[in-house]
Structure formats: structure tokens, C-alpha cells
């Protein structure tokens, strides 16, 4: 097409792809008919024999059965025969019984887990009860220790009487112990006694030797403290065994409270000795007191943080006390910290002892209340476990009753669903095929992003592109060539030409905008922005097309090959969709007109480009650019233009080089393969990606 004959391209272009399909005329129509004839027809129900869709499904299953394992063939089966239906019913019953069996196993495991939890809580409950008994023993041993130390310090008859009154309470607490630690090699001094009776004999013997043997108060304190520590270790071990329970915070608080109570008991004893003597015998004794005081107060504070009950009950019991003992204790602790008593007397020692006893007794009450709370929570948890076991058994029995009903109900539903599914599957296949065909044609006419917006019903607004490059080309002497042949030959020639072009531009970041006769319009940077790569991409593509078009022989003129005249220009443009009944993606702006003028004023076998396009390529030494001089591209408009002759290494990168120069057979074979691929695409997409075609090929039932 000559420049004078294509004046329509000098104005803003309203392109639309009118290129004939890349096959001979009628190819697509014949393939559409073939595809329709290969589709499944609607199933017509008959009382005897099978329908055509039944035969199709059986053929697919038989074909796939040869390519699968026996287990997979057993899972799929043939639902159209009586044997297949019976097999499906057996599989259905099996699939129904599997959940019932799974539910049975889950229920049994759940009940076993609940039973284990129940047993653990029962064990924790017994341990807590024993720890309460042990705590009572520790409490009375502490009193006995403190009174013994006070008696040895004063050596008075009154203190000896008070001491003897402490013995029965300790013996009673020991008698109430429900168990005794077994003999072991863990270093616990209590394990050397076979029973509580042996320990009581040992303790009574020590009491009798108290007056006959001259014993120091600090030695007696160490003796009792060692025994009390052994009892505390027992409680600690029991709590460690039950640390995985849900009452661990209260149990940790309970343990800290017992340890704090023991440390403050030692503080009470050492303080009583201090006030009876006026000072500590050694600085080590003074450090001993400070250690017990600090650790006892710290553990008591930590116990409050682990359980709010500790602080609440302590304040409640403290309010019930008749005297403000805490103030007296704080004042006397300050004197002990200075290691110098203001006055020394048995009354002062007794006053300290009584106030600390009130304090420790309150801690003992807190200890009992905390243990009761733990036991109450454990009892509540045990009751909840029993309810869970009962509920699990009930659900299991209910599932056994409902399972047969479900089996027969599902059997009837499956039969109805199968009949409906066959008809629905047939309609779905037809709809999917048509959808693929429609989308393939739509994506040929419009950019995918624009087409997707139109499918969603969105309005496509015009969009401005600041950087883009436009390419125009036509066949030299096309009018003369067309005049020497019939229209069918022209269509075949253009079909072969554009098949070559379409296959080559797929290698570059460009978009085919328009074909009108032999005119071919391509853009880069529109509709997909690519920065400043639009000019190099389009220039390389142009050299590619100019090279490959020389391989194409004019069908009705043997020995004569085609020659391309091309031009390009870079600049801004506006793109949008025009029309409603047949929307077209159009480019507008002076850049389009200038690119068309570049092609019209160009020469055969060369790429004519503007100075704007040349500026994008000048820094790349691979491009060989020659100045053409000033050219009048429009009336009254003269600009400097350039020839792009080659790109270094481009031709050598083509797969067909160098055989395509002498024998283009291989190149034409590639075009034939591209023709086949594009025809399949127009028929509904790639077979590898189309689930409907996969079903027809037996790759997906």
C-alpha cells in the first residue's frame, strides 16, 4: 500500500484487528464444526440400553483404567452398570462406616485422656491432702522448736512448762499422717525411719535427753530445722509431681507459703534468743537471722503474686486480731537489725515470741484456706471429667444409632445426584468450551487488562502515556501485487505474512494494535508501561520483522519475495476503548501521525525513525544508526530523521540463521506449527490448561 493510498492513517487512529485468521479461509469454521461434533450430546433417557453419554463415560473410564493403578480403578469404578452401582454402594457404606469407626476411636481416646486426667487429679488431690497433714506437722514442729530454743535460753520452769504443752500437739499431728515416705537414697532424713511410729520414738528420745545433755539453743534450732526441712522437701516433691495440673499457680503459692512460714519460724526463734541475751553470740548468727528474715518476706510476697487468695485471707485474719502485732514486729525487727537490744529480759523475748506466733498462725490459716481451695477446684474438675466421659459415651451410642439411617438416606440422595450430575456435566462442558472460545477471540481484539475490565462491567477510562513508541509498516508494491491476483490469493498472502509477524512480536515487550490491509501497527509502552525500554524493544522487533519478511515468498509469484517498509516514532499518546457494540482499543495523538509519516517517507528494507526515537537508542552501541538528513514529514514540517540499519548480534541470535537465507523450509515449518497453536487457542485455549479438553482426552474424569 502506497503512502498516498493510506491517508486514513494520517489522522488519529481508531484501530481494531481486522486481520484474517492465521489459516486458510474457512479453517476456523471447519474446526468449530469438528469440535461441536466431538462434544457430548444431551443424554436421552431410555429404559433399555445405554445413552450416548453413557458410552462416552465408559470409554473415558476404560481408557483411563489402562493407565492407572488397580487401587485407583477400584476407587473410580463404573457407575453405569449394575455391578458398578453395587460397588459404589459398598464403597459408600465403607466410606460411611469409616467416619463412624473414626468417631469411635476418637471417643475412646478422648475418654482415655479424660480418665488419665481424672487419675492425675485424684493423685494431686491425695497429695494435697497429705501436704495439708504435713503442713500441720511442720507448724507444730516449728512451735516446738521455737519454745525449745526459748527454754534453753532462759532455763526457767515457766518456759519448760510451756514446752511440755507443745509436745502433745506435735504427736497428734504426726498420728494423723495418712502415709509415710518410703525408704530411699535421696538424702531425706525421714526416709531412714520405716514408719511414723519409729520417728515418734526418735523424737521422744530426743526430748528426754534435752535436760540430761547440755545443749546449746542454736544446736537445737539446727536439729529441728533439719527435720522440718525434710518434711518441706516431701511437700515439694509431691507438688513437683503434680506440676502439669491446672492448679499449678495455687500449688506454687502453697509451696512458697510453707517455705516462707518456715523461714519466719526460724526468725522467730533467733529473735527470741536475741532478746533473751541482748545480742547474737556470733556475727554468723546475725547473718543467719538476716537471711531467714529476707527470704521469708520475699517468699511470702511471691506467694501473694501467684494467688490472690493469700493476700486476701491474710488481711482478713489480720483485721480479726485483737492487737496491732505488725507494728510491734516491725519495731522489734529494727532493734534486731542493729544487733543491740534496748533492754534484755525474758518478758521482751516472750513478747516478741507471742507477736510472731500470731503472725505465723495467720499464715497457717492462709495455708489451710489455700489448700481447701485447691481441693475444691480439683473436686470440681473431677466432676467435670465424669460429665465429659458420660457425654462421650452418649455421643458414641447416638452415632451408632444414626449411622444406618444416614447410609440409606445418602444412598437415595447419591442416585439422584448422579442423574443430575450427568446432565449438568454435559451442559458445563459446552459452556466452558464456548467461554474459552469467547475469551480467546476477545483477547485477540483487546488487551487482556482492558478486556477483563469490560467483562466485569467496569467503565474503561482513557489513559495518557507519557512515554511510548509507535511502529508502522507495509509491503512495498502491495497494490501492484494485489492487482495481479484474485482476492483469495491476497487473503492467503496476508494470512501468511501476519502469521510470521504475530509469531515474532511474541518475543518482545510490544502490543499489536492494528492491521489494515498490508499495514501493520505495533506499540510498546502501551498498554503496559515499561519505562524507557519501549524504543529499544520496538526497534529490535522492527529489525526482526524486516529480516524475516524476506523469507516469505509471494504464493502466486514464485521466486519473488516480500519487502517491508517501516517507520517508528517515540512520544506521548492517549489510549482508550471506543464503541459499544464492537469496542476497539485506539491510540490518539501526534505521536501516531508522526510514526505513520516515518513509514510513508521511508524506503524498502529499512527502518525510518525520528530523532526522538534515535535519542533513546544513541547510548547503546549495538544499534547502527545512520543520519538521513532533513525530511519533510508533513506540509511545512521538516525534521532530521535517521536509518536504523542493524543491531549487532541480532541476526546471529535467530534460530533459523543461516539456513533461512538459502532454504526457508525450517522457518516455514515453524510458522505452520504456530498456525496450529493459534488455531487451537481460538478454539478454546490450550488443551493442557482446559479442564473440559482434559476430560475429553481422558486425563480428568
Amino acid at each position: 500500500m502506497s503512502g498516498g493510498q493510506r491517508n486514513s492513517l494520517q489522522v488519529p487512529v481508531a484501530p481494531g484487528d481486522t486481520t484474517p485468521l492465521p489459516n486458510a479461509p474457512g479453517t476456523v469454521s471447519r474446526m468449530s464444526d469438528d469440535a461441536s461434533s466431538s462434544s457430548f450430546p444431551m443424554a436421552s433417557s431410555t429404559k433399555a440400553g445405554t445413552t450416548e453419554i453413557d458410552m462416552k463415560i465408559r470409554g473415558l473410564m476404560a481408557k483411563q483404567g489402562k493407565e492407572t493403578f488397580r487401587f485407583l480403578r477400584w476407587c473410580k469404578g463404573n457407575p453405569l452398570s449394575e455391578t458398578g452401582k453395587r460397588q459404589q454402594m459398598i464403597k459408600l457404606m465403607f466410606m460411611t462406616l469409616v467416619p463412624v469407626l473414626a468417631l469411635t476411636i476418637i471417643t475412646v481416646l478422648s475418654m482415655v485422656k479424660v480418665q488419665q486426667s481424672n487419675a492425675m487429679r485424684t493423685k494431686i488431690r491425695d497429695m494435697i491432702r497429705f501436704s495439708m497433714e504435713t503442713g500441720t506437722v511442720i507448724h507444730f514442729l516449728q512451735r516446738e522448736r521455737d519454745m525449745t530454743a526459748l527454754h534453753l535460753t532462759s532455763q526457767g520452769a515457766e518456759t519448760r512448762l510451756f514446752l511440755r504443752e507443745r509436745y502433745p500437739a506435735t504427736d497428734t499431728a504426726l498420728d494423723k499422717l495418712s502415709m509415710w515416705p518410703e525408704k530411699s537414697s535421696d538424702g531425706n532424713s525421714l526416709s531412714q525411719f520405716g514408719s511414723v511410729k519409729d520417728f515418734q520414738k526418735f523424737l521422744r528420745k530426743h526430748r528426754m535427753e534435752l535436760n540430761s545433755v547440755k545443749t546449746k539453743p542454736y544446736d537445737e534450732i539446727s536439729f529441728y530445722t533439719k527435720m522440718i526441712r525434710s518434711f518441706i522437701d516431701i511437700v515439694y516433691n509431691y507438688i513437683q509431681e503434680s506440676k502439669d495440673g491446672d492448679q499449678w499457680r495455687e500449688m506454687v503459692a502453697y509451696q512458697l507459703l510453707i517455705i516462707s512460714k518456715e523461714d519466719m519460724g526460724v526468725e522467730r526463734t533467733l529473735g527470741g534468743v536475741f532478746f533473751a541475751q541482748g545480742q547474737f553470740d556470733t556475727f554468723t548468727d546475725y547473718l543467719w537471722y538476716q537471711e531467714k528474715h529476707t527470704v521469708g518476706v520475699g517468699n511470702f510476697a511471691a506467694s501473694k503474686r501467684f494467688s490472690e487468695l493469700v493476700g486476701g485471707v491474710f488481711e482478713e485474719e489480720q483485721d480479726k486480731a485483737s492487737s496491732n502485732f505488725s507494728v510491734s514486729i516491725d519495731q522489734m525487727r529494727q532493734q534486731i537489725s542493729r544487733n543491740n537490744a534496748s533492754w534484755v529480759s525474758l518478758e521482751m523475748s516472750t513478747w516478741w515470741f507471742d507477736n510472731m506466733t500470731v503472725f505465723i498462725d495467720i499464715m497457717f490459716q492462709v495455708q489451710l484456706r489455700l489448700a481447701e481451695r485447691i481441693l475444691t477446684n480439683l473436686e470440681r474438675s473431677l466432676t467435670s471429667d465424669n460429665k465429659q466421659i458420660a457425654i462421650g459415651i452418649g455421643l458414641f451410642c447416638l452415632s451408632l444409632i444414626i449411622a444406618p439411617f444416614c447410609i440409606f438416606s445418602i444412598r437415595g440422595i447419591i442416585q439422584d445426584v448422579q442423574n443430575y450430575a450427568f446432565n449438568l456435566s454435559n451442559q458445563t462442558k459446552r459452556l466452558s468450551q464456548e467461554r474459552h472460545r469467547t475469551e480467546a477471540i476477545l483477547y485477540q481484539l483487546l488487551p487482556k487488562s482492558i478486556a477483563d475490565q469490560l467483562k466485569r462491567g467496569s467503565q474503561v477510562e482513557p489513559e495518557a502515556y507519557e512515554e511510548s513508541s509507535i511502529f508502522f509498516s507495509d509491503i512495498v508494491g502491495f497494490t501492484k501485487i494485489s492487482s495481479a491476483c484474485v482476492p483469495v490469493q491476497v487473503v492467503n498472502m496476508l494470512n501468511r505474512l501476519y502469521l510470521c509477524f504475530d509469531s515474532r512480536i511474541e518475543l518482545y515487550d510490544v502490543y499489536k494494535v492494528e492491521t489494515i490491509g498490508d499495514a501493520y501497527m505495533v506499540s510498546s509502552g502501551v498498554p503496559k508501561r515499561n519505562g524507557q525500554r519501549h524504543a529499544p524493544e520496538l526497534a529490535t522487533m522492527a529489525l526482526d520483522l524486516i529480516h524475516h519478511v524476506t523469507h516469505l515468498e509471494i504464493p502466486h509469484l514464485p521466486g519473488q519475495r516480500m519487502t517491508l517498509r517501516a517507520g517508528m516514532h517515540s512520544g506521548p499518546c492517549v489510549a482508550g476503548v471506543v464503541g459499544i457494540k464492537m469496542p476497539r482499543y485506539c491510540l490518539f495523538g501526534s505521536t501516531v501521525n508522526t510514526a505513520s509519516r516515518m513509514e510513508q517517507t521511508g524506503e524498502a528494507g529499512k527502518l525510518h525513525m525520528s530523532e526522538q526515537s534515535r535519542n533513546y537508542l544513541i547510548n547503546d552501541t549495538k544499534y547502527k544508526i545512520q543520519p538521513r538528513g532533513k525530511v519533510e514529514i508533513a506540509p511545512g514540517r521538516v525534521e532530521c530523521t535517521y536509518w536504523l540499519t542493524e543491531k549487532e548480534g541480532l541476526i546471529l541470535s535467530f534460530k533459523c540463521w543461516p539456513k533461512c537465507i538459502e532454504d526457508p523450509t525450517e522457518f516455514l515449518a515453524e510458522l505452520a506449527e504456530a498456525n496450529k497453536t493459534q488455531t487451537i487457542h481460538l478454539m478454546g485455549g490450550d488443551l493442557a490448561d482446559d479442564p473440559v479438553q482434559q476430560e475429553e482426552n481422558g486425563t480428568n474424569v
Side-chain angles (χ1 to χ4, degrees):
M1 179 182 292
S2 63
Q5 292 173 319
R6 192 162 41 81
N7 294 330
S8 60
L9 294 180
Q10 300 175 15
V11 296
V13 182
D17 193 351
T18 58
T19 306
L21 294 176
N23 303 86
T27 303
V28 175
S29 299
R30 290 197 300 272
M31 294 192 66
S32 300
D33 295 339
D34 294 342
S36 300
S37 64
S38 64
S39 303
F40 291 146
M42 294 293 292
S44 59
S45 58
T46 57
K47 294 184 179 179
T50 59
T51 61
E52 187 174 353
I53 189 172
D54 294 341
M55 299 300 296
K56 290 285 186 179
I57 294 178
R58 286 177 177 176
L60 292 177
M61 292 182 175
K63 179 180 178 181
Q64 192 173 22
K66 298 177 182 179
E67 302 173 357
T68 55
F69 298 102
R70 291 184 178 180
F71 176 75
L72 297 179
R73 292 202 302 270
W74 181 86
C75 290
K76 293 178 180 178
N78 186 356
L80 304 178
S81 63
E82 293 298 327
T83 303
K85 291 180 179 179
R86 286 195 297 268
Q87 290 178 351
Q88 279 201 341
M89 184 53 58
I90 294 174
K91 289 182 285 186
L92 175 63
M93 295 182 64
F94 175 76
M95 293 173 62
T96 306
L97 290 175
V98 166
V100 175
L101 180 61
L103 179 61
T104 303
I105 296 175
I106 292 174
T107 304
V108 172
L109 293 177
S110 177
M111 288 190 295
V112 170
K113 184 178 180 180
V114 173
Q115 184 62 32
Q116 292 176 349
S117 176
N118 193 301
M120 183 188 71
R121 290 192 174 102
T122 302
K123 182 180 179 181
I124 295 174
R125 180 190 61 187
D126 296 339
M127 291 178 179
I128 292 298
R129 287 177 177 173
F130 178 71
S131 65
M132 291 176 63
E133 298 169 357
T134 306
T136 304
V137 172
I138 293 172
H139 178 71
F140 288 111
L141 280 175
Q142 289 172 343
R143 282 194 168 191
E144 183 175 331
R145 174 193 61 193
D146 300 342
M147 187 55 67
T148 301
L150 182 61
H151 168 66
L152 293 177
T153 303
S154 62
Q155 294 293 336
E158 183 180 0
T159 56
R160 181 170 183 79
L161 179 61
F162 290 156
L163 176 60
R164 288 181 177 179
E165 291 176 354
R166 296 284 184 257
Y167 293 158
T170 304
D171 295 337
T172 302
L174 288 170
D175 291 335
K176 291 182 179 181
L177 289 177
S178 58
M179 64 179 71
W180 186 258
E182 299 179 356
K183 290 186 177 181
S184 63
S185 58
D186 58 358
N188 194 308
S189 60
L190 296 179
S191 62
Q192 61 181 326
F193 302 103
S195 63
V196 65
K197 297 297 182 182
D198 295 338
F199 177 73
Q200 286 177 320
K201 290 179 181 180
F202 170 75
L203 186 58
R204 282 196 293 267
K205 180 180 178 182
H206 177 76
R207 292 168 180 170
M208 293 176 62
E209 295 176 351
L210 184 61
N211 293 327
S212 60
V213 178
K214 190 175 182 180
T215 306
K216 294 182 179 180
Y218 293 107
D219 296 336
E220 200 65 20
I221 293 173
S222 299
F223 171 77
Y224 276 97
T225 301
K226 183 178 180 181
M227 284 193 303
I228 293 172
R229 178 57 63 180
S230 298
F231 278 103
I232 291 177
D233 290 342
I234 295 174
V235 176
Y236 177 79
N237 292 333
Y238 283 152
I239 291 177
Q240 285 294 108
E241 293 180 7
S242 58
K243 64 182 180 180
D244 295 331
D246 50 7
Q247 302 293 326
W248 69 272
R249 292 185 66 88
E250 282 77 10
M251 298 185 71
V252 171
Y254 183 79
Q255 176 186 348
L256 291 172
L257 189 61
I258 291 177
I259 297 174
S260 173
K261 184 169 166 290
E262 162 59 14
D263 292 331
M264 291 188 179
V266 176
E267 179 189 4
R268 175 178 62 180
T269 305
L270 295 175
V273 174
F274 170 79
F275 284 109
Q277 296 179 352
Q279 61 181 5
F280 292 106
D281 291 344
T282 63
F283 187 70
T284 303
D285 297 335
Y286 171 74
L287 294 179
W288 188 12
Y289 167 82
Q290 292 291 349
E291 175 189 357
K292 293 300 180 181
H293 166 68
T294 304
V295 175
V297 173
N299 286 333
F300 184 58
S303 178
K304 291 180 181 179
R305 287 193 293 270
F306 274 96
S307 176
E308 74 281 356
L309 181 66
V310 175
V313 175
F314 183 82
E315 292 178 0
E316 178 184 343
E317 295 294 332
Q318 187 177 14
D319 294 339
K320 294 179 182 179
S322 57
S323 60
N324 192 3
F325 62 90
S326 59
V327 177
S328 301
I329 291 175
D330 291 339
Q331 294 175 354
M332 300 177 78
R333 279 175 171 170
Q334 293 178 4
Q335 294 186 36
I336 299 174
S337 298
R338 294 193 297 267
N339 197 13
N340 186 11
S342 301
W343 61 86
V344 179
S345 65
L346 180 60
E347 291 78 8
M348 190 64 181
S349 177
T350 304
W351 175 251
W352 160 263
F353 187 86
D354 292 340
N355 281 284
M356 287 296 294
T357 299
V358 173
F359 185 83
I360 293 175
D361 287 345
I362 292 177
M363 294 181 66
F364 182 62
Q365 293 300 322
V366 175
Q367 174 184 329
L368 295 178
R369 290 276 293 275
L370 184 59
E372 291 175 359
R373 177 176 177 175
I374 295 174
L375 290 176
T376 302
N377 292 337
L378 288 174
E379 291 293 345
R380 189 181 297 113
S381 300
L382 291 174
T383 303
S384 176
D385 291 344
N386 294 331
K387 289 182 180 179
Q388 291 183 11
I389 294 175
I391 293 173
I393 295 175
L395 291 176
F396 173 68
C397 296
L398 182 63
S399 64
L400 293 180
I401 297 174
I402 295 178
F405 174 76
C406 294
I407 292 176
F408 289 105
S409 299
I410 294 175
R411 176 183 179 182
I413 294 174
I414 290 298
Q415 291 177 347
D416 296 337
V417 170
Q418 284 180 342
N419 296 333
Y420 177 74
F422 284 143
N423 295 330
L424 183 61
S425 175
N426 184 40
Q427 297 296 333
T428 303
K429 292 172 186 176
R430 290 177 176 269
L431 180 61
S432 179
Q433 290 173 350
E434 293 301 327
R435 179 176 60 83
H436 280 287
R437 294 190 187 102
T438 303
E439 288 183 351
I441 296 174
L442 182 60
Y443 291 154
Q444 294 289 329
L445 298 176
L446 297 172
K448 188 175 184 302
S449 59
I450 303 299
D452 291 339
Q453 294 184 49
L454 294 176
K455 287 196 300 181
R456 292 193 299 266
S458 303
Q459 183 177 1
V460 181
E461 300 291 340
E463 188 173 1
Y465 295 86
E466 296 299 328
E467 294 193 9
S468 65
S469 292
I470 309 297
F471 166 86
F472 280 95
S473 70
D474 67 357
I475 300 300
V476 177
F478 178 74
T479 303
K480 181 179 179 181
I481 296 173
S482 299
S483 62
C485 59
V486 298
V488 174
Q489 292 175 327
V490 174
V491 171
N492 290 335
M493 178 182 66
L494 292 178
N495 195 30
R496 193 177 191 186
L497 172 67
Y498 291 137
L499 176 60
C500 172
F501 283 5
D502 292 345
S503 64
R504 297 310 302 174
I505 68 174
E506 290 294 328
L507 303 176
Y508 306 97
D509 186 9
V510 298
Y511 174 70
K512 174 185 174 183
V513 180
E514 157 86 319
T515 55
I516 300 178
D518 65 324
Y520 198 80
M521 178 181 178
V522 182
S523 67
S524 182
V526 180
K528 178 183 177 182
R529 291 180 171 84
N530 54 8
Q532 295 187 350
R533 292 191 300 108
H534 52 87
E537 289 286 336
L538 204 63
T540 306
M541 179 214 71
L543 295 175
D544 190 330
L545 298 185
I546 292 172
H547 168 77
H548 281 89
V549 76
T550 59
H551 302 168
L552 300 179
E553 189 177 71
I554 301 175
H556 55 281
L557 299 175
Q560 184 175 348
R561 298 189 179 185
M562 301 180 187
T563 306
L564 194 69
R565 178 173 56 239
M568 66 174 286
H569 175 63
S570 300
C573 69
V574 176
V577 177
V578 177
I580 298 176
K581 290 187 176 181
M582 189 174 181
R584 301 162 69 89
Y585 188 70
C586 305
L587 303 183
F588 302 93
S590 61
T591 302
V592 179
N593 290 333
T594 303
S596 177
R597 291 292 186 180
M598 289 293 106
E599 180 268 323
Q600 294 174 16
T601 57
E603 297 180 2
K606 295 182 179 181
L607 175 60
H608 189 206
M609 64 180 181
S610 64
E611 186 173 5
Q612 287 83 351
S613 297
R614 173 251 187 191
N615 292 337
Y616 283 100
L617 306 176
I618 192 64
N619 294 327
D620 192 342
T621 58
K622 292 183 179 180
Y623 292 99
K624 306 303 181 182
I625 303 174
Q626 295 178 359
R628 182 184 183 182
K630 294 184 178 181
V631 177
E632 184 179 5
I633 61 175
R637 181 182 173 187
V638 178
E639 293 184 5
C640 292
T641 60
Y642 301 86
W643 300 115
L644 178 61
T645 58
E646 64 174 313
K647 180 181 179 181
E648 184 178 344
L650 176 63
I651 297 179
L652 296 178
S653 65
F654 297 148
K655 293 183 178 180
C656 61
W657 180 263
K659 294 184 295 182
C660 57
I661 298 299
E662 300 177 357
D663 183 11
T665 304
E666 182 177 349
F667 172 69
L668 296 178
E670 292 180 1
L671 290 185
E673 182 65 24
N675 182 8
K676 179 180 178 182
T677 303
Q678 187 165 0
T679 303
I680 293 175
H681 179 66
L682 289 175
M683 289 303 301
D686 191 356
L687 292 178
D689 298 328
D690 188 356
V692 176
Q693 300 294 340
Q694 290 177 358
E695 291 184 2
E696 295 183 355
N697 287 342
T699 59
N700 183 22
V701 177

